[in-house]
Amino acid sequence: MLGWFRKLLPREDKFFDLFEAHAATLVAGAGALKGLLDGSQSVAAGSAEVLRQENHADEIAGEVMQAVGRTFITPFDRGDIEELIGSMDDAIDQMQKTVKTIALFEVEDFAPCMQELGFVIVQTSERVADLLPMLRDIKKHAVNIGMLSREIGAMEEKSDELHDQGLKELFRAHRTSDTMAYIAGAEIYDHLEKVVDRFEDVAKRAGRIVLEHL
């Protein structure tokens, strides 16, 4: 009875605007992270942009949480909204942790696998940004959401492979010489791989929302 009643009431769609605005910060942050890794921009400039986008993302996430408490009819369950924006915020937070680690260890040059992970992060962020607007009409886009979620899952597997390959190369390069270089590199690889993990979390949460509304 309650579900039938909810369908008759006007739905508040500003949440979708906020999700998509947050997704834009993910894409921008990913681009800045990739840029500092591949040398197309300085570490200082790329890091500053990631931090700027993370601050903007926090503001948007805060708006979502306030709206959840103030809105009578939400497009889907309040807990789902909170978990979705939380997983999105975790992704940009992980980018922030990455650049903070880079600054901590004063790393300026990045191995090929790190650079490739930056590219995977950009690709994954773009898939997430493509997926989120589809939640406006779940029934219409359910198949495409599933396809994008599988793509994101495949990218996460690729990031695992790059992480492992990078660590092997790092160990071979530094096992008899520079222990700190290995520690710093391993920390960076760990954070980069976790960025993609967090994007996969977003896709999984979106997938659960789809299943609840079909």
Side-chain angles (χ1 to χ4, degrees):
M1 185 70 172
L2 178 60
W4 175 82
F5 177 66
R6 285 169 63 89
K7 288 180 181 178
L8 293 179
L9 294 171
R11 187 180 67 169
E12 177 55 74
D13 285 342
K14 66 184 171 186
F15 291 100
F16 298 113
D17 295 334
L18 292 170
F19 292 149
E20 290 160 30
H22 196 292
T25 71
L26 300 181
V27 174
L33 183 57
K34 174 184 174 293
L36 73 86
L37 292 170
D38 66 20
S40 60
Q41 62 180 310
S42 70
V43 171
S47 297
E49 180 61 13
V50 169
L51 296 176
R52 190 177 77 82
Q53 294 297 335
E54 193 273 337
N55 287 332
H56 188 202
D58 277 349
E59 292 172 2
I60 296 168
E63 285 186 58
V64 172
M65 299 304 286
Q66 286 184 357
V68 166
R70 295 174 178 172
T71 305
F72 183 54
I73 297 297
T74 55
F76 32 82
D77 184 79
R78 294 169 195 275
D80 288 334
I81 291 173
E82 291 172 353
E83 289 184 358
L84 180 61
I85 196 65
S87 63
M88 294 171 67
D89 220 39
D90 287 344
I92 192 81
D93 286 347
Q94 194 62 54
M95 292 185 220
Q96 179 197 44
K97 291 176 183 177
T98 305
V99 298
K100 284 188 172 182
T101 298
I102 289 168
L104 174 66
F105 289 108
E106 299 179 345
V107 179
E108 295 286 339
D109 298 307
F110 302 94
C113 285
M114 292 181 186
Q115 295 179 22
E116 196 167 349
L117 273 165
F119 179 70
V120 173
I121 287 168
V122 168
Q123 284 187 309
T124 316
S125 72
E126 290 172 346
R127 297 303 185 280
V128 167
D130 289 340
L131 183 156
L132 287 167
M134 296 181 183
L135 294 177
R136 290 178 181 269
D137 191 339
I138 288 173
K139 292 186 185 300
K140 178 179 178 181
H141 297 296
V143 172
N144 287 332
I145 291 171
M147 289 175 60
L148 283 169
S149 295
R150 287 190 291 275
E151 281 188 53
I152 291 167
M155 290 173 184
E156 193 279 329
E157 291 178 5
K158 176 67 173 175
S159 74
D160 286 344
E161 294 170 4
L162 288 167
H163 171 271
D164 294 346
Q165 181 185 341
L167 280 184
K168 276 186 182 178
E169 293 174 358
L170 199 63
F171 177 73
R172 288 170 183 160
H174 299 295
R175 60 183 166 183
T176 60
S177 56
D178 192 345
T179 303
M180 280 305 301
Y182 174 80
I183 292 171
E187 281 286 310
I188 293 168
Y189 273 120
D190 182 60
H191 286 302
L192 290 170
E193 193 270 333
K194 283 180 178 175
V195 175
V196 186
D197 284 348
R198 301 292 82 78
F199 281 132
E200 186 182 34
D201 290 343
V202 176
K204 287 178 178 178
R205 294 193 185 283
R208 285 197 285 272
I209 291 169
V210 170
L211 289 175
E212 290 170 5
H213 287 80
L214 287 179

